[in-house]
Amino acid sequence: MKIICIGRNYAEHAKELNNAVPAEPVFFMKPDTALLIRNRPFYYPEFTSDLHYECELVLRICKLGRHISEKFAHTYYDAIGIGIDFTARDLQQKAKEKGLPWEKAKSFDFSAPVSRFVPVSEFKDLNNIRFSLQLNGQTVQEGNSRDMIFSFDAIISYISKFVTLRTGDYVFTGTPAGVGPVKIGDKLEAYLESQKLLNFEIK
Ligand code: MG
């Protein structure tokens, strides 16, 4: 499986990192070795000193597809979870300055903690899903899918023009404002609506 991540999908977050609001989706990928599941602890890597959390809604792909039209995109994902797009901000900044790819900063081992998934049928309105992240008990990020620049369906349609989506792939849909650093000993808890789905420690 693969993990596809959308960047800059919330205007307030694009602003906080001094990025322009994009005219079309920006995406990058993490390999399957980036997955961290079952609330296992995350071990702070030695190659960064500025590791940031980015809390995001995650779609689970349920059908093979390419060149998917926006109209039918909703039939290609069947569940939503919550994930953290861990980012070595110092390495990403260096890569950006040199115009180099982001993989070292974004795609390293265990850089994608993902919760269990909730079936799409359990949500009343996919364009109004609340989620939030707490760092050591303090809320640091609050988002709602209605604030996305590109909707779930627009994202699926766009990605599938370039990359075939397969059953079991995950799509990270972008982070709202409030990203920041973590340190060893921190506790992260993420909520999808009122359900706590992520709860793990930085070691
Ligand atoms: Mg992200």
Side-chain angles (χ1 to χ4, degrees):
M1 60 84 68
K2 57 187 175 294
I3 303 166
I4 299 165
C5 306
I6 300 292
R8 304 171 191 171
N9 202 21
Y10 289 80
E12 290 300 315
H13 169 65
K15 238 187 266 174
E16 75 181 344
L17 293 185
N18 294 317
N19 291 316
V21 172
E24 52 185 12
V26 174
F27 74 87
F28 58 91
M29 291 198 241
K30 295 181 188 248
D32 56 2
T33 43
L35 262 188
L36 182 65
I37 55 170
R38 299 196 189 98
N39 287 315
R40 287 180 181 137
F42 174 89
Y43 289 87
Y44 200 109
E46 42 74 35
F47 51 75
T48 177
S49 51
D50 194 22
L51 181 77
H52 278 207
Y53 56 79
E54 294 187 0
C55 184
E56 313 197 3
L57 294 173
V58 182
L59 306 177
R60 186 179 70 190
I61 300 298
C62 60
K63 197 155 82 171
L64 181 103
R66 56 196 296 259
H67 299 292
I68 301 163
S69 72
E70 208 171 312
K71 191 172 144 198
F72 296 110
H74 68 277
T75 65
Y76 286 81
Y77 55 94
D78 65 350
I80 297 174
I82 199 150
I84 307 292
D85 166 19
F86 272 128
T87 304
R89 198 69 76 200
D90 42 1
L91 300 188
Q92 188 194 29
Q93 194 50 40
K94 270 188 210 156
K96 276 185 183 174
E97 283 162 15
K98 294 180 183 164
L100 293 172
W102 291 1
E103 271 82 354
K104 272 201 303 193
K106 286 282 198 183
S107 312
F108 52 86
D109 288 352
F110 309 118
S111 60
V114 174
S115 74
R116 71 177 171 83
F117 281 79
V118 177
V120 159
S121 58
E122 288 184 24
F123 295 91
K124 264 189 245 140
D125 179 2
L126 294 187
N127 294 311
N128 186 13
I129 299 175
R130 283 180 301 121
F131 63 105
S132 63
L133 178 69
Q134 291 188 2
L135 174 65
N136 303 323
Q138 301 287 330
T139 301
V140 287
Q141 286 194 284
E142 279 182 302
N144 189 306
S145 58
R146 70 172 169 235
D147 298 322
M148 294 189 300
I149 298 168
F150 303 103
S151 69
F152 295 148
D153 294 349
I155 289 168
I156 295 293
S157 172
Y158 185 81
I159 295 169
S160 73
K161 288 181 194 174
F162 304 91
V163 179
T164 298
L165 293 171
R166 287 200 181 120
T167 301
D169 289 347
Y170 292 162
V171 178
F172 276 60
T173 57
T175 198
V179 302
V182 290
K183 56 185 190 317
I184 292 170
D186 282 348
K187 212 179 155 192
L188 292 177
E189 295 162 285
Y191 290 79
L192 182 56
E193 298 287 357
S194 50
Q195 290 188 80
K196 192 200 288 187
L197 294 187
L198 276 181
N199 181 10
F200 68 98
E201 206 182 314
I202 311 291
K203 288 196 169 178

